[in-house]
Amino acid sequence: GQITVNQNNPTITLGSNATVSADAITGISLMPTQIFRLDTTISSSTSGTITNWAHANASGTTEGNFAPTGSSVISSTTSGHFQFTTTGMYSVHANMVAQNVSSQVVQNGVGIVIQTTLNNSTWTTGALSYESLQVSGLCFISAFITIDCTDTANRKVRINYDAPANINVLGNTSYNITSVLFKRLGDT
């Protein structure tokens, strides 16, 4: 077999008898990724920062869990504040499943909010998403942001929930219901 690499168009053409083994590929690595899940349901609350996060693979099994790729992305989740291990560009994707505890009232404006800080004290909203929550119903809400972390001591992320009346934010120790994915995209 023959391998041809065209520098003007980043493609690789393999001859009909060519094979590629994993040992022959160098310089390619997976982007570090970590998923955290809410490990218990937050009951009958209207708003707040989600604090009881656990690594998605914390239960020790592989079914329904996610093993991080590459090195760790997050070094700490103190008080629900995620701290990055290294500087760089990151994508943050937060998902929340909310349950209406009312059997009589539709809740308009149930949301998930991604907030960031540059100085470890002043928080600003970077992304948010809202949905309506039917009587005794469930809804799935998702928000996404890209962050440039240039200071691992002070640049942090937190995930908040918001509702006009009491809701349950669903969580579980064995699988992802309300979760957040952090992926390092590259250097700053």
Side-chain angles (χ1 to χ4, degrees), residues 104-172:
Q104 299 177 356
V105 178
V106 172
Q107 293 199 42
N108 295 312
V110 175
I112 188 168
V113 182
I114 300 175
Q115 291 189 318
T116 64
T117 182
L118 294 172
N119 59 14
N120 204 22
S121 64
T122 303
W123 293 88
T124 58
T125 297
L128 54 88
S129 182
Y130 283 86
E131 293 289 336
S132 292
L133 189 50
Q134 299 302 312
V135 171
S136 300
L138 298 172
C139 70
F140 173 82
I141 309 165
S142 182
F144 173 84
I145 189 172
T146 302
I147 295 172
D148 184 4
C149 177
T150 57
D151 178 357
T152 59
N154 293 306
R155 178 71 151 162
K156 296 180 182 173
V157 174
R158 70 181 179 191
I159 312 300
N160 293 345
Y161 60 97
D162 186 34
N166 285 345
I167 62 167
N168 291 340
V169 179
L170 302 185
N172 192 289

Side-chain angles (χ1 to χ4, degrees), residues 5-120:
V5 178
N6 180 339
Q7 293 178 355
N8 296 326
N9 185 5
T11 59
I12 297 176
T13 305
L14 299 176
S16 61
N17 294 327
T19 60
V20 178
S21 71
D23 296 338
I25 299 174
T26 60
I28 298 174
S29 62
L30 296 174
M31 292 298 177
T33 305
Q34 273 184 293
I35 295 178
F36 293 83
R37 67 168 62 109
L38 176 62
D39 65 3
T40 57
T41 295
I42 300 169
S43 298
S44 297
S45 187
T46 58
S47 64
T49 298
I50 300 173
T51 58
N52 41 329
W53 295 104
H55 288 275
N57 62 343
S59 69
T61 64
T62 56
E63 192 162 353
N65 292 290
F66 176 84
T69 60
S71 57
S72 292
V73 175
I74 300 298
S75 63
S76 171
T77 59
T78 305
S79 300
H81 301 171
F82 293 95
Q83 184 172 0
F84 296 100
T85 56
T86 60
T87 60
M89 296 295 294
Y90 292 88
S91 67
V92 180
H93 193 135
N95 300 305
M96 180 179 81
V97 176
Q99 178 184 36
N100 192 344
V101 296
S102 173
S103 61
Q104 299 177 356
V105 178
V106 172
Q107 293 199 42
N108 295 312
V110 175
I112 188 168
V113 182
I114 300 175
Q115 291 189 318
T116 64
T117 182
L118 294 172
N119 59 14
N120 204 22

